Amino acid sequence: MKELRIRVLAGVFVVAGVLSWAGARLWNSIGTLPSVPLAAPIVLALIAVVLLATALSIRARLKAQRERQPDAKGVDPMMAARAVVFGQASALVAALVAGMYGGTGVFLLESLDNPARRDQAISAGFSVLAGIGVIAAALFLERVCKLPEDDEHDGTGAAPTV
């Protein structure tokens, strides 16, 4: 399984942000811009918490396994692989959503004198922060589930993920 690259996530964020900013300008010129949902940062923050809790749980189980504690539960490789896939998918979607809300938020910065638009810009800003939290938690989860380097099987020196 390939590692998730920060450049890819940054690219998705920037492209989504530019397209969202342009779409918000176009939509606003035609009619009323749809509001930024208040639940967006909350949902993204909950996903970040789930990813972080999963990473901490797997890390604790792996540590107990390495230290050969008698009551240590092992980590099922398929469960770890599923966790990494969930983290990677969450990071990609969070980069897309954070870019979308970031572009909309930048557009809304033009009209902060309107209280409704100011509240939407704040909500969009919190959504971007929560999206960055999801990405950070997903990258941490991926790092926790990374296999140690094995030079015999992999001549590139890169450690594969579980």
Side-chain angles (χ1 to χ4, degrees):
M1 184 177 302
K2 290 188 177 186
E3 289 184 32
L4 196 56
R5 296 182 186 258
I6 294 177
R7 282 182 278 152
V8 171
L9 296 172
V12 169
F13 177 82
V14 168
V15 169
V18 168
L19 290 175
S20 177
W21 174 80
R25 286 184 59 96
L26 178 67
W27 197 315
N28 193 50
S29 68
I30 295 172
T32 305
L33 185 67
S35 65
V36 177
L38 293 175
I42 296 168
V43 170
L44 287 169
L46 286 175
I47 292 170
V49 167
V50 168
L51 287 170
L52 185 62
T54 302
L56 293 175
S57 172
I58 290 174
R59 186 176 72 166
R61 291 170 85 183
L62 287 173
K63 181 180 176 188
Q65 201 173 13
R66 271 192 310 270
E67 294 174 354
R68 301 197 186 273
Q69 293 178 358
D71 59 342
K73 290 184 177 180
V75 176
D76 180 32
M78 284 304 293
M79 191 268 308
R82 288 182 189 125
V84 169
V85 169
F86 172 62
Q88 288 181 348
S90 297
L92 285 168
V93 170
L96 180 69
V97 169
M100 184 182 77
Y101 287 129
T104 303
V106 168
F107 171 75
L108 291 171
L109 288 177
E110 298 172 0
S111 56
L112 289 178
D113 53 336
N114 183 346
R117 294 257 172 133
R118 183 175 45 246
D119 292 344
Q120 289 181 1
I122 291 169
S123 181
F126 281 133
S127 296
V128 171
L129 291 176
I132 292 170
V134 169
I135 292 169
L139 291 174
F140 178 63
L141 174 62
E142 185 178 58
R143 185 166 185 241
V144 165
C145 293
K146 193 175 196 179
L147 291 175
E149 290 189 33
D150 187 7
D151 293 330
E152 293 177 15
H153 300 292
D154 188 15
T156 63
T161 54
V162 174

